[in-house]
Amino acid sequence: MGGTGSGSGAPSAVVADWGLVFWTLCAVILPVLITLWCSFQRSRRQVLIRDIFRKSKHDWHYTDLFGQPSYCCVCAQHILQGAFCNCCGLRVSEGCLKKADQLFLCKEIMMRSNGGAHSSMPHHWIRGNVPLCSCCMICKQQCGTQPKLCDYRCVWCQYTVHDECMMDCLKTEECTFGEFRDLIIPPYYLSTINQMRKDKRTNYEKVVPYCRKHWMPVIILANTRSGNNMGETLLGEFKILLNPVQVFDLSKIAPAKALQLCTLLPCNAVRVLVCGGDGTVGWVLDAIDEMKIKGQERYIPQVAILPLGTGNDLSNTLGWGAGYAGEVPVEQILRNVMEADGIKLDRWKVQVTNKGYYNLRKPKVFTMNNYFSVGPDALMALNFHAHREKTPSLFSSRIINKAVYFFYGTKDCLVQECKDLNKKVELELDGERIELPNLEGIIVLNIGYWGGGCRLWEGMGDEPYPLARHDDGLLEVVGVHGSFHCAQIQVKLANPVRLGQAHTVRLILKSSKMPMQVDGEPWAQGPCTVTITHKTHALMLYHSGEQTDDEASSLSEQDHLREQTDEEV
C-alpha cells in the first residue's frame, strides 16, 4: 500500500513542477512579447509620422507634452501629446495628423500668382488653441477661456476673435499684419518680386508693401547649437509671428546664403537679428563683409543680437544683455529690434606671422570684433575648447560652461603656466615700444565688456582714464598679473595694468609657445609676430534698455571725467 501511494505521488509532483515552469515562462516571455510588439508598433507609427512630416507643407514637430492646455483641431478632443506646426500653430493628435494635413493650409510664404499683382491679402484664421490672455478684436474680452476647442486666431496679424463674434465679413477682410507689420515680409511682396525678376526689373524700392514709410523687414538667423540650446524653440516662435521665409536655422544654411534675401528687399532697410553667441555674430558679420566684396554694399543690413552663448560680451556692450534664457517674450524682442538705434562697430584684422627664415607658410589672418589676448584667459579658453571637443554633449548649459571656465581658472592660479610673459614678448603701440611690468597676460580690447560681463578697461572705476569706445578706431591694451588678478578685476577688487590706447598694435612672441585667442577661438602659438590693424566697420543696432547699477555708475563716472577734461581744455 505504501509503495503504491508513493508511486502515484511522483507523477503528480512532476506535473506540478512542469506547470510551475510553464507559468514561470509565461510570466517572463509574455511581457517581453508585449514589449516587442509595442516597440514594433511604435516604430511603425514613427515611420508613418516621419513620412507625413517629410511630405507636408506644414512644419510639423512632435511633442510628448504640450506646454499649455491643447485641443486637437480635427476631433476637438483634449490632448496632452501630439504634433504642432511651427509656422501656423495648428495642434493635432497623432491619430488625426494625416487628416489635419489634408484639411488645413499652412502659412504661404509667397502668394500663388493668378495673373495679377497683389497688394493685400485676407486673414488666415485658425480655430482653437489661442494664446493665453489674448483679447477679441471685436468685443475686447478675453479669448480661449472655455475648456474646449474654441475661438479663432489669424496666423499673420495674431488677432483673435470669439466664435460668436466671428462674422462673414471678417473671413474676407484685409489683414493688416498686426503689430509687427513693419517687420513682416508679406507673401504678396515676394510674388511681385518674383514676377519682376522674370521681367528683369530690379527697382524693388517701388514695391514697398501697404504703403508703409518705415518698413524695416527683419531676418532671423538662429544658431540652434549655441549656449543653452534655446535656438530651436525660438525658431518656432519667430515663424509664428513672421513670415517663415524670414527665419533661418544656421545649422542648416550658411549666413552668406541666408543674407541673399536682403538683395530682394529695399536698400538700407533690412535688420538682422542674430540668435547665438559672439562667435555666431562674428560668423554673420564675416558673411556681410563678403556681400561688400560682391558689390552688394547697398543691401548691407543692420545687426541686432539675442545672446544665447556663454560670454556674450559683444551683446552686453551693445545693450542686448548678458544672456537670454526665455525671460523676455519674443514679441518684446521684436519691439526692441524695431526701436533700436543704428551704430558702428570697429572690426580689426589680426595677422599672425610665424618666425623663421624658411617659413613659407602664409600668415594666419583673423577678424576681431571683441578682443585678442595672450596669457591666462587664452589658456582657460584653450582648455575649455579641448574639453568640449572631446565631450560636446556635456556643454549644453551656460552654467556648466562657466563652471568649467572657473575650474580651469582656479587650476591656473596654482600652476601659473603663463608667468614671466613680459620676458617673452615685446609690445608696440602705434610703433612705440612699451616697457612691460611683470605680467602673465596681455589683452587687446575693442569693446567695453570682457570675460562674461567685466568692464576690464575701467576696473574699479576709481582712476581717471580715457574713455573706451567701440567705434573710435582705437584699441585698449591692458595687462594682468594672472588668473587670480583677473578674478579680482571681475569683482571690482583690483584694476588692470593699463598699457595704453592705439590704432595699431604689434606684439612679438620671442620664444616658447603661448596660448592665444581671438574672440574666444583659442590656439597654442609658437614664436611669431601679431599685428592688429583696423579692417572695417560693421553696422550694428544698439538697444538702450534698462541699465544695471554698474553700467549706470560707470556712465556717470565717464560723464564726470569728460566734464573735467572739457573744463581743463
Side-chain angles (χ1 to χ4, degrees):
M1 293 289 294
T4 305
S6 61
S8 62
S12 61
V14 170
V15 170
D17 290 344
W18 279 109
L20 180 63
V21 169
F22 172 77
W23 289 113
T24 303
L25 288 174
C26 287
V28 172
I29 293 173
L30 191 60
V32 172
L33 291 175
I34 292 173
T35 303
L36 290 174
W37 183 81
C38 291
S39 178
F40 171 75
Q41 291 296 322
R42 190 184 303 112
S43 62
R44 187 165 169 266
R45 287 200 310 271
Q46 288 174 349
V47 169
L48 292 172
I49 289 171
R50 280 199 298 268
D51 188 56
I52 294 172
F53 283 9
R54 183 172 52 85
K55 295 177 181 178
S56 177
K57 291 185 179 180
H58 288 275
D59 185 17
W60 292 116
H61 289 263
Y62 192 84
T63 181
D64 289 324
L65 183 65
F66 287 109
Q68 67 180 70
S70 300
Y71 300 88
C72 176
C73 64
V74 177
C75 65
Q77 296 298 311
H78 180 261
I79 51 175
L80 294 175
Q81 61 183 29
F84 65 95
C85 177
N86 252 349
C87 295
C88 65
L90 276 177
R91 300 186 181 192
V92 294
S93 63
E94 188 179 308
C96 298
L97 178 59
K98 190 172 183 179
K99 193 172 182 180
D101 198 57
Q102 296 169 347
L103 286 176
F104 301 103
L105 292 174
C106 192
K107 271 186 173 180
E108 288 187 296
I109 61 173
M110 187 167 69
M111 287 187 73
R112 298 189 185 108
S113 177
N114 56 3
H118 297 272
S119 59
S120 64
M121 58 185 288
H123 290 289
H124 180 165
W125 298 106
I126 293 289
R127 187 161 186 257
N129 303 307
V130 299
L132 299 175
C133 302
S134 57
C135 293
C136 176
M137 64 182 289
I138 303 298
C139 67
K140 309 304 178 185
Q141 298 299 312
Q142 187 173 343
C143 287
T145 54
Q146 301 180 54
K148 64 178 183 178
L149 188 77
C150 62
D151 304 338
Y152 290 86
R153 174 182 61 89
C154 174
V155 300
W156 288 107
C157 63
Q158 308 305 321
Y159 290 157
T160 53
V161 182
H162 288 124
D163 287 335
E164 54 271 22
C165 295
M166 175 59 77
M167 299 174 285
D168 290 338
C169 61
L170 281 178
K171 295 181 180 179
T172 57
E173 184 183 69
E174 179 182 329
C175 181
T176 62
F177 291 89
E179 180 184 359
F180 302 114
R181 56 186 174 273
D182 284 340
L183 300 179
I184 295 173
I185 302 176
Y188 59 77
Y189 173 86
L190 291 175
S191 60
T192 305
I193 295 298
N194 189 43
Q195 186 60 46
M196 290 179 70
R197 293 182 74 188
K198 290 178 181 178
D199 299 339
K200 297 184 179 179
R201 291 180 291 152
T202 57
N203 51 336
Y204 303 147
E205 291 82 0
K206 296 180 180 179
V207 199
V208 176
Y210 23 76
C211 301
R212 299 291 300 180
K213 292 182 180 179
H214 305 291
W215 189 43
M216 52 177 82
V218 67
I219 296 175
I220 310 294
L221 304 179
N223 187 351
T224 54
R225 298 172 182 170
S226 284
N228 53 2
N229 294 325
M230 284 199 63
E232 193 74 40
T233 304
L234 288 168
L235 281 172
E237 293 183 11
F238 282 121
K239 285 180 179 178
I240 289 283
L241 296 174
L242 305 171
N243 189 331
V245 79
Q246 300 172 242
V247 184
F248 296 92
D249 182 353
L250 292 182
S251 65
K252 297 177 181 177
I253 185 170
K257 193 171 181 181
L259 289 171
Q260 288 305 300
L261 179 59
C262 296
T263 62
L264 304 180
L265 299 167
C267 302
N268 305 315
V270 182
R271 298 190 166 196
V272 168
L273 176 62
V274 180
C275 308
D278 288 346
T280 306
V281 177
W283 188 20
V284 172
L285 294 181
D286 288 341
I288 291 174
D289 285 346
E290 289 178 21
M291 292 177 67
K292 296 177 184 177
I293 296 170
K294 293 177 182 176
Q296 299 173 342
E297 194 153 0
R298 61 192 181 129
Y299 299 111
I300 297 299
Q302 294 176 302
V303 179
I305 306 171
L306 183 62
L308 302 182
T310 302
N312 304 312
D313 291 308
L314 180 58
S315 168
N316 221 349
T317 300
L318 299 179
W320 296 101
Y324 179 75
E327 66 279 4
V328 179
V330 171
E331 292 85 353
Q332 185 57 47
I333 293 168
L334 291 176
R335 292 184 198 109
N336 293 343
V337 172
M338 283 195 289
E339 297 166 2
D341 301 316
I343 60 166
K344 289 184 178 180
L345 172 73
D346 290 324
R347 303 193 77 211
W348 301 82
K349 176 184 176 183
V350 180
Q351 182 171 301
V352 182
T353 307
N354 292 320
K355 277 191 174 182
Y357 295 106
Y358 303 104
N359 183 24
L360 301 177
R361 286 183 296 175
K362 290 183 178 180
K364 290 185 282 189
V365 178
F366 304 89
T367 300
M368 183 184 85
N369 302 311
N370 299 1
Y371 37 72
F372 162 85
S373 69
V374 53
D377 69 319
L379 179 63
M380 282 187 277
L382 185 62
N383 288 330
F384 174 84
H385 186 75
H387 199 161
R388 185 170 60 179
E389 288 292 309
K390 290 179 183 177
T391 53
S393 58
L394 294 177
F395 297 84
S396 58
S397 164
R398 189 180 291 133
I399 295 175
I400 292 174
N401 294 352
K402 290 190 175 184
V404 174
Y405 266 108
F406 175 77
F407 168 77
Y408 283 119
T410 306
K411 177 185 172 185
D412 187 63
C413 287
L414 303 173
V415 179
Q416 293 184 314
E417 294 182 36
C418 303
K419 64 181 179 180
D420 298 327
L421 178 69
N422 54 298
K423 299 177 182 177
K424 301 172 185 176
V425 302
E426 293 179 5
L427 178 66
E428 294 179 7
L429 302 183
D430 288 337
E432 181 181 342
R433 173 84 178 271
I434 303 297
E435 290 297 325
L436 297 174
N438 185 26
L439 297 174
E440 285 191 29
I442 294 174
I443 304 166
V444 182
L445 299 161
N446 179 46
I447 60 175
Y449 284 90
W450 163 88
C454 169
R455 298 187 73 90
L456 181 60
W457 177 252
E458 297 166 17
M460 293 191 293
D462 60 342
E463 299 175 358
Y465 50 86
L467 298 177
R469 293 182 60 88
H470 47 263
D471 58 355
D472 58 358
L474 281 173
L475 293 166
E476 287 71 46
V477 186
V478 303
V480 293
H481 297 302
S483 295
F484 186 68
H485 186 208
C486 289
Q488 287 179 308
I489 295 170
Q490 286 187 320
V491 294
K492 293 198 171 188
L493 291 177
N495 286 316
V497 181
R498 299 187 185 92
L499 301 173
Q501 292 178 300
H503 297 89
T504 302
V505 176
R506 191 164 179 258
L507 186 143
I508 302 169
L509 179 60
K510 296 181 289 188
S511 61
S512 73
K513 184 175 278 192
M514 295 293 291
M516 294 184 179
Q517 71 156 335
V518 174
D519 291 352
E521 295 298 324
W523 74 96
Q525 179 64 49
C528 68
T529 299
V530 179
T531 307
I532 306 177
T533 54
H534 193 269
K535 179 182 178 182
T536 185
H537 283 106
L539 300 177
M540 308 297 291
L541 289 169
Y542 181 84
H543 175 234
S544 52
E546 294 183 4
Q547 297 173 348
T548 64
D549 294 339
D550 289 346
E551 289 172 332
S553 63
S554 172
L555 289 171
S556 63
E557 286 165 5
Q558 290 180 1
D559 292 339
H560 179 65
L561 286 167
R562 189 185 290 113
E563 289 170 5
Q564 286 182 337
T565 306
D566 292 342
E567 288 173 4
E568 290 171 2
V569 172

